[in-house]
Structures are given as structure tokens and as C-alpha cells.
Amino acid sequence: MARFLLQVLEREVTYKWNPKTRHKIKCLFVAALCRMTGDGSPVTFTKFEEKKNAEKGRRINTVRRLFWGTPSPPPKGPEPSESFAAVLKAYQNLEPGDFTGFLKLLKSPASRRLQSRCTTFLDTMETNHDLPVQKQSDLVQDFYQSFAEYFSRGGTSGFHEAQITQLMEHLEKLMMTRLHKWVFCHDSCDDEQKDLALQRRIRSLNWVTPEMLAVPFPNKKTSASGDPFLPAITAIIEMDAKRAPQDKLACVSKCSQHIFEALSTSNSEPANADDFLSGLIYVVLKANPPRLHSNMQYVIRFGLPHSLMAGESGYYFTNLSCAVAFIEKLDGPALNLTPEEFEGYMQRRYTPGVGSRRQQVASDTQQLLDELKGRQERLDQGVDALKVELHQWVQAVHSQFEEVTTQFSLVQQELSSQAENSQDVSSLSDEVSLQENSEDHSVVTAQGVVQE
């Protein structure tokens, strides 16, 4: 029995490295040996620890052989095969966050050896992509450590801790962008099944309201597009589209910052840790992010340790883990509900806030009707005013037309009288001219008679 348990324990440690399972089997092994000895004396795990340390040593030597070419690290100081000072100077001048510049430096002649080691490690990981995911995680973490040791071995002339951290972040993004398709949601683990189970669990809890979670929410009515937590929901959904663990952590940080902004608009007081965790749980329930469990495990396995153990990103990621654990174990008392009420909500027999929602809908409908009524009244008033103006304009046009007609008649009469006067004057002038002509003729005739 003891030999069988020891074989199971060694196989679990060698291939899976699952801490919970390893601890459980270890406890069973201790209990079995205690029962076999009969005296209950404690049993040591010397051989187990030796095998564990030997396995770790083999992994480190493998990575060192890929990185340095030998199973042991080279001595500190300038390395003979390349100018360490040139590499040091090139990477020290790198601007923070300049990933493109890092790639250019890595392709430069001074970094030819570093590039070769990175390429060799990537090819090795892709060739052995069928290894258990935990073993792949150990190899990647050992490679991170070897890379950090390479840049920190320069003594006082080496890199500062902040510079090494920056280079490690660039390295992580480079390596995991390439390895993402091989190690994410690996076949050797049950991440896919847990993703489906978590999505079903979140979908079954879509009835949970902010009031049940004690999330400070605006009292004013907000539409779907006006939800203050909508930017946070969008940010957490974007996490699945990223490849590098640090980019996934950046989405978690962005989501958390949007939550704090939403809480600040919903509450006059600064948000505390409890409000933030409640808001994060609400965002996860509303977003139901795709492959959430796989994304979190991917960050844990292949992310840089300092990103998860320090800083804002580590704090936000820890809260996300707590939110997921809370959702998985959510029950009635956590929402101030009785077990019967919680079961009724889960089976869709109850709907939260039916009466209040009906009242809200009725109030909104009445408000909309009042608004439409007011708009109709204003429209009717405008139509009446327009009719009055149109009538006045028609009357003004008629009066102007009559005035013009009258003036036109007067002008016609005046023109007619002037024409008649002109005819009379013309007739009179003709008569006068005839009379003058006849007089002239008479005078001429008289003069002729006298001369005779």
C-alpha cells in the first residue's frame, strides 16, 4: 500500500505538480505509513524531497543549457564570447514601455546570442508542446529566472531592479505571444470544462441585482448605455483577446479603475475595498467573460511572479480571484436571502423586484405620456398661431390688392380724361387753323380784286 501510494505521489509530482492534489496524496501517504507502522510515529520524506530537488535541478540545468550553453551559470564579469558592456549599454538606453525598441535591440548584432537562446527555447517549447501544462509553466518560469540572472550578473555596472523588471516584461510579452497557442487552455488540464461550468454558473445568476450585492448604484434611472459599470464590463471582456499575461493583467487593471470611477459617481464618499469587491462581482456577473478560468490560470502559470505579488495589478488580480471564488460558492445568506428564496430565484420561480420594476415602468410610461402631451399642446399652439398669422397675411394681401386695384382704376380714369382733353385740344386747334386758312384766302382774294 505504501509503495503504491509512493508511486502515485511521484507520478503526480513529476507530471502535474498540482499543489492541492500533491498535499492530499502526501497526507494519505503519511496516514497509511502510520497505520502500517502501528505506532503512529511521524514519517519523513527524505527520498521524496531528494527526487523533487533532483527534478527541479534537471529543469534548471536544461534551461541553463539552452540559455548559456552549459548546465552551470558562467562566472560573473565580462563574458569572453561577446561584449557584455555593449549589450548592457544598448538595453540601458531603452525607453520604458518601448517593446518595438526591445525587439530591434534583440535583433542587433550585439544581442545575437540572446536572440539565439530565445529562439532555441521557443523552438524547444513548440516541439514539446505536448508536455503537461504545469511542466511547461515550470520551464517558462525557469527561463525567466535565467534571463534575469543574465542581466543582473554585471555587479555594480549591471541593471537596476526597475530596468530588469522592464526587460522581463518585454521578454514575457515576446515569449508568451509566440507560445500562447501551444500552452493556453492546454489539453493536459481541465480548464475548458471549468470554463464551461463557470459560464453556466454565472448565467444562472443573471438575476442578481446591485442591491443584493450592496453595490452603490445611482438612484437616478439609467438606460443600458448609461450604466456606469459598462466600461468596466467592456474591459474585462477584452481580456480574452490578449495573448501576453501582462496584457491580460492590464485589462483587469483597466476594469478595476473603471469600477472605482463608477463607484465615485454613484457614491459621495470614496469607495472602500468592500465596495470595490462588490462592484467587481457585479461586473463579472454582468459580463460573463469568455474563458475566464483559463485566462486566470494562464496568467498564474506563465506571468511574471512580481506582477502577481506586488503593485496594483497584483491587488486587482487577487480581487478578481476572490470574486470568482465568491460566485462559485454564492448562496442565499450571502445575498441576504433565505435558502427557499435563493432556490426560487435559481429555478426562475421568483423574479427580483417585480413590483418595483412594474412601478418604474409605469412611472416611466406616465412620464413619457406627459412629455408627449406637452409636446402635442405646444404643437397645437404653434399650429393655431400659424393659422392666425396666415389669416392676417391673407387679409393683408387682399387689402393691398384692393388698394392697388383702386389706384389702378384712378390712374386709368385720369389717363382717359387726359386722352379726351388731348382730343378736344386737337379738334380746337384744327378748327382754328381752318379758320385762319379761310381768312387768309379771303384776304388774298380781296387784294386781287383791288389790283384789278
Side-chain angles (χ1 to χ4, degrees), residues 161-204:
E161 183 178 356
Q163 293 175 323
I164 295 177
T165 300
Q166 173 189 337
L167 290 175
M168 293 302 298
E169 290 177 352
H170 292 325
L171 177 70
E172 178 212 79
K173 188 169 185 177
L174 171 64
M175 306 300 287
M176 298 316 303
T177 301
R178 176 86 173 268
L179 296 176
H180 178 270
K181 63 181 180 180
W182 300 111
V183 301
F184 183 81
C185 199
H186 199 267
D187 294 336
S188 63
C189 58
D190 57 349
D191 288 345
E192 185 175 358
Q193 290 76 13
K194 291 184 178 179
D195 284 332
L196 296 175
L198 182 59
Q199 282 191 337
R200 287 193 296 266
R201 175 65 174 174
I202 294 176
R203 195 178 300 114
S204 67

Side-chain angles (χ1 to χ4, degrees), residues 216-227:
F217 209 79
N219 293 326
K220 61 180 182 179
K221 106 181 129 56
T222 57
S223 60
S225 60
D227 189 346

Side-chain angles (χ1 to χ4, degrees), residues 90-91 94-95 97-107 170:
Y91 284 94
L94 187 65
E95 294 294 332
D98 188 6
F99 181 68
T100 304
F102 172 78
L103 295 179
K104 292 180 180 179
L105 287 176
L106 193 62
K107 294 180 180 180
H170 292 325

Side-chain angles (χ1 to χ4, degrees), residues 331-344:
D331 55 6
L335 301 175
N336 295 324
L337 300 174
T338 63
E340 293 78 12
E341 291 175 339
F342 182 81
E343 191 66 22

